[in-house]
Amino acid sequence: MKSALNDGASRCFATLDAFLLASARLAPGIVLLDADNLQDDVPGAIAALRTRGSVQAVLLSKAAPDFAFGVAAIRAGAVDILEKPLSEQRLLAAIRLATSRPRPRTPTTIARNIDRLTAREREVVAWLLYGLTNKEIGRELEISHRTVEIHRARLMRKLAVPSLPALIDVVLAQRDKLPDVGIARPSHAPGA
Protein backbone atom coordinates (compact mmCIF):
# COMPACT_ATOMS: atom_id res chain seq x y z
CA MET A 1 0.00 0.00 0.00
CA LYS A 2 2.97 2.29 0.26
CA SER A 3 2.77 3.31 -3.40
CA ALA A 4 -0.70 4.82 -3.24
CA LEU A 5 -0.75 6.03 0.33
CA ASN A 6 2.82 7.12 0.99
CA ASP A 7 2.26 10.72 0.05
CA GLY A 8 3.84 12.27 3.11
CA ALA A 9 0.49 13.36 4.47
CA SER A 10 -0.32 10.03 6.14
CA ARG A 11 0.57 9.55 9.79
CA CYS A 12 0.38 6.45 11.96
CA PHE A 13 -0.19 6.43 15.73
CA ALA A 14 0.35 3.47 18.03
CA THR A 15 -2.70 4.21 20.17
CA LEU A 16 -5.89 6.22 20.10
CA ASP A 17 -4.60 8.30 23.02
CA ALA A 18 -1.45 9.18 21.07
CA PHE A 19 -3.58 10.37 18.16
CA LEU A 20 -5.87 12.39 20.44
CA LEU A 21 -2.85 14.14 21.97
CA ALA A 22 -1.46 15.06 18.54
CA SER A 23 -4.77 15.82 16.84
CA ALA A 24 -4.79 19.52 17.70
CA ARG A 25 -1.68 19.99 15.55
CA LEU A 26 -2.92 17.93 12.58
CA ALA A 27 -4.58 19.10 9.41
CA PRO A 28 -8.14 17.84 8.92
CA GLY A 29 -8.24 14.31 7.56
CA ILE A 30 -9.65 10.83 7.67
CA VAL A 31 -8.93 8.45 10.53
CA LEU A 32 -8.54 4.72 9.91
CA LEU A 33 -9.05 3.09 13.28
CA ASP A 34 -8.16 -0.52 14.08
CA ALA A 35 -11.31 -1.68 15.87
CA ASP A 36 -9.67 -4.91 17.06
CA ASN A 37 -7.53 -2.86 19.47
CA LEU A 38 -10.38 -0.96 21.15
CA GLN A 39 -11.56 -3.45 23.79
CA ASP A 40 -15.16 -3.32 22.44
CA ASP A 41 -15.46 0.46 22.97
CA VAL A 42 -15.84 1.45 19.34
CA PRO A 43 -18.66 3.96 20.06
CA GLY A 44 -16.56 5.63 22.76
CA ALA A 45 -13.54 5.84 20.49
CA ILE A 46 -15.57 7.32 17.63
CA ALA A 47 -17.16 9.83 20.00
CA ALA A 48 -13.70 10.87 21.21
CA LEU A 49 -12.54 11.27 17.60
CA ARG A 50 -15.65 13.23 16.58
CA THR A 51 -14.88 15.91 19.18
CA ARG A 52 -11.66 16.71 17.31
CA GLY A 53 -11.87 19.30 14.58
CA SER A 54 -9.12 17.50 12.69
CA VAL A 55 -11.29 14.42 12.02
CA GLN A 56 -13.33 14.62 8.82
CA ALA A 57 -14.43 10.98 8.85
CA VAL A 58 -13.77 7.72 10.67
CA LEU A 59 -13.09 4.44 8.88
CA LEU A 60 -12.80 1.21 10.86
CA SER A 61 -10.79 -1.90 10.12
CA LYS A 62 -11.67 -5.20 11.79
CA ALA A 63 -11.00 -8.87 11.31
CA ALA A 64 -14.28 -10.61 10.42
CA PRO A 65 -16.76 -7.83 11.29
CA ASP A 66 -20.31 -9.05 11.79
CA PHE A 67 -23.54 -7.23 11.03
CA ALA A 68 -24.19 -6.26 14.67
CA PHE A 69 -20.75 -4.64 14.81
CA GLY A 70 -21.51 -2.81 11.56
CA VAL A 71 -24.80 -1.44 12.87
CA ALA A 72 -23.19 -0.24 16.12
CA ALA A 73 -20.27 1.33 14.25
CA ILE A 74 -22.47 3.18 11.76
CA ARG A 75 -24.76 4.38 14.55
CA ALA A 76 -21.67 5.71 16.33
CA GLY A 77 -20.64 7.63 13.21
CA ALA A 78 -18.20 5.46 11.24
CA VAL A 79 -18.32 6.03 7.49
CA ASP A 80 -17.23 2.52 6.49
CA ILE A 81 -15.97 -0.78 7.92
CA LEU A 82 -13.07 -2.50 6.18
CA GLU A 83 -12.39 -6.18 6.70
CA LYS A 84 -8.81 -7.22 7.40
CA PRO A 85 -6.56 -7.86 5.66
CA LEU A 86 -6.97 -4.50 3.96
CA SER A 87 -6.57 -4.28 0.23
CA GLU A 88 -5.25 -1.09 -1.32
CA GLN A 89 -8.20 -0.94 -3.72
CA ARG A 90 -10.80 -1.31 -0.94
CA LEU A 91 -9.04 1.24 1.29
CA LEU A 92 -8.82 3.81 -1.50
CA ALA A 93 -12.51 3.27 -2.32
CA ALA A 94 -13.39 3.87 1.35
CA ILE A 95 -11.30 7.05 1.40
CA ARG A 96 -13.05 8.29 -1.75
CA LEU A 97 -16.41 7.54 -0.10
CA ALA A 98 -15.37 9.42 3.04
CA THR A 99 -14.19 12.48 1.08
CA SER A 100 -16.99 12.61 -1.45
CA ARG A 101 -19.92 14.89 -1.00
CA PRO A 102 -22.92 12.70 -1.71
CA ARG A 103 -26.01 14.20 -3.25
CA PRO A 104 -28.21 15.24 -0.34
CA ARG A 105 -31.28 13.07 0.09
CA THR A 106 -34.38 14.83 1.23
CA PRO A 107 -36.60 13.21 3.88
CA THR A 108 -39.37 13.08 1.26
CA THR A 109 -37.18 11.05 -1.11
CA ILE A 110 -36.14 8.67 1.67
CA ALA A 111 -39.73 8.26 2.85
CA ARG A 112 -40.94 7.60 -0.68
CA ASN A 113 -38.27 4.95 -1.16
CA ILE A 114 -39.09 3.20 2.12
CA ASP A 115 -42.78 3.37 1.28
CA ARG A 116 -41.98 1.37 -1.87
CA LEU A 117 -40.75 -1.61 0.17
CA THR A 118 -43.04 -4.61 0.51
CA ALA A 119 -44.15 -5.73 3.96
CA ARG A 120 -41.67 -8.64 3.80
CA GLU A 121 -38.80 -6.34 2.80
CA ARG A 122 -39.60 -4.10 5.76
CA GLU A 123 -39.48 -7.15 8.04
CA VAL A 124 -36.10 -8.13 6.63
CA VAL A 125 -34.74 -4.62 7.21
CA ALA A 126 -36.14 -4.53 10.74
CA TRP A 127 -34.38 -7.81 11.59
CA LEU A 128 -31.17 -6.59 9.94
CA LEU A 129 -31.10 -3.72 12.43
CA TYR A 130 -30.95 -6.32 15.21
CA GLY A 131 -27.81 -7.72 13.61
CA LEU A 132 -29.26 -11.01 12.43
CA THR A 133 -27.68 -12.90 9.54
CA ASN A 134 -29.67 -13.95 6.48
CA LYS A 135 -30.01 -17.46 7.94
CA GLU A 136 -31.28 -16.15 11.27
CA ILE A 137 -33.76 -13.84 9.55
CA GLY A 138 -34.94 -16.78 7.47
CA ARG A 139 -35.60 -18.77 10.66
CA GLU A 140 -37.50 -15.85 12.22
CA LEU A 141 -39.64 -15.35 9.11
CA GLU A 142 -39.86 -19.08 8.31
CA ILE A 143 -38.39 -18.63 4.83
CA SER A 144 -35.11 -19.78 3.31
CA HIS A 145 -31.96 -17.72 3.69
CA ARG A 146 -31.82 -17.51 -0.12
CA THR A 147 -35.23 -15.82 -0.12
CA VAL A 148 -33.93 -13.40 2.50
CA GLU A 149 -30.96 -12.64 0.22
CA ILE A 150 -33.36 -11.88 -2.64
CA HIS A 151 -35.46 -9.56 -0.45
CA ARG A 152 -32.30 -7.86 0.80
CA ALA A 153 -30.98 -7.27 -2.74
CA ARG A 154 -34.34 -5.89 -3.87
CA LEU A 155 -34.71 -3.54 -0.94
CA MET A 156 -31.19 -2.20 -1.40
CA ARG A 157 -31.98 -1.55 -5.06
CA LYS A 158 -35.30 0.17 -4.18
CA LEU A 159 -33.61 2.34 -1.56
CA ALA A 160 -30.75 3.08 -3.99
CA VAL A 161 -28.09 2.25 -1.43
CA PRO A 162 -24.74 0.85 -2.54
CA SER A 163 -23.60 -0.64 0.76
CA LEU A 164 -24.64 -1.87 4.16
CA PRO A 165 -23.55 1.37 5.93
CA ALA A 166 -25.67 3.39 3.49
CA LEU A 167 -28.63 1.06 4.08
CA ILE A 168 -28.32 1.51 7.84
CA ASP A 169 -28.19 5.32 7.48
CA VAL A 170 -31.38 5.39 5.38
CA VAL A 171 -33.23 2.88 7.54
CA LEU A 172 -32.35 4.48 10.87
CA ALA A 173 -33.64 7.80 9.57
CA GLN A 174 -37.05 6.21 8.89
CA ARG A 175 -37.18 3.46 11.53
CA ASP A 176 -40.74 4.45 12.48
CA LYS A 177 -41.90 3.06 9.10
CA LEU A 178 -40.64 -0.45 9.94
CA PRO A 179 -42.50 -3.18 11.83
CA ASP A 180 -41.60 -3.38 15.51
CA VAL A 181 -39.95 -6.80 15.59
CA GLY A 182 -38.02 -5.91 18.73
CA ILE A 183 -40.88 -6.39 21.19
CA ALA A 184 -39.65 -9.92 21.86
CA ARG A 185 -35.95 -10.12 21.09
CA PRO A 186 -35.24 -13.11 18.88
CA SER A 187 -33.57 -16.12 20.47
CA HIS A 188 -30.65 -16.00 18.05
CA ALA A 189 -30.04 -12.25 18.07
CA PRO A 190 -26.68 -11.13 19.43
CA GLY A 191 -26.82 -10.48 23.16
CA ALA A 192 -29.95 -12.59 23.67
Side-chain angles (χ1 to χ4, degrees):
M1 265 192 263
K2 289 183 180 180
S3 63
L5 299 176
N6 193 8
D7 59 3
S10 301
R11 300 251 336 246
C12 184
F13 295 89
T15 66
L16 177 62
D17 289 336
F19 172 79
L20 294 174
L21 284 173
S23 66
R25 298 182 311 272
L26 299 175
I30 297 167
V31 174
L32 174 62
L33 188 61
D34 185 350
D36 292 323
N37 294 331
L38 294 178
Q39 316 301 332
D40 295 327
D41 190 21
V42 171
I46 292 174
L49 290 170
R50 287 286 186 190
T51 64
R52 307 297 186 195
S54 59
V55 176
Q56 290 177 323
V58 178
L59 303 174
L60 296 174
S61 67
K62 183 168 177 53
D66 60 15
F67 192 85
F69 172 83
V71 170
I74 297 301
R75 283 182 177 169
V79 172
D80 204 348
I81 298 112
L82 306 163
E83 186 170 4
K84 293 178 186 175
L86 298 177
S87 74
E88 182 175 341
Q89 181 181 7
R90 178 69 176 97
L91 178 57
L92 291 174
I95 291 169
R96 277 192 296 277
L97 172 70
T99 57
S100 68
R101 298 289 180 228
R103 180 176 58 88
R105 298 175 75 140
T106 64
T108 307
T109 303
I110 294 169
R112 183 175 59 244
N113 287 342
I114 288 182
D115 289 340
R116 292 179 49 209
L117 298 180
T118 65
R120 182 61 86 183
E121 289 165 347
R122 288 177 194 222
E123 287 176 313
V124 168
V125 169
W127 284 117
L128 282 172
L129 289 179
Y130 272 97
L132 271 65
T133 65
N134 291 342
K135 285 184 180 182
E136 293 168 333
I137 294 169
R139 283 192 294 259
E140 289 296 328
L141 300 177
E142 298 178 354
I143 58 177
S144 76
H145 74 280
R146 297 278 186 208
T147 304
V148 173
E149 290 171 3
I150 292 168
H151 287 304
R152 187 170 165 176
R154 286 179 181 162
L155 70 90
M156 289 186 72
R157 189 170 46 252
K158 286 180 182 179
L159 295 176
V161 291
S163 65
L164 182 61
L167 173 66
I168 293 168
D169 283 343
V170 169
V171 170
L172 287 178
Q174 296 289 312
R175 192 170 189 165
D176 60 320
K177 293 185 176 249
L178 298 175
D180 190 6
V181 296
I183 294 172
R185 195 166 176 92
S187 58
H188 18 287

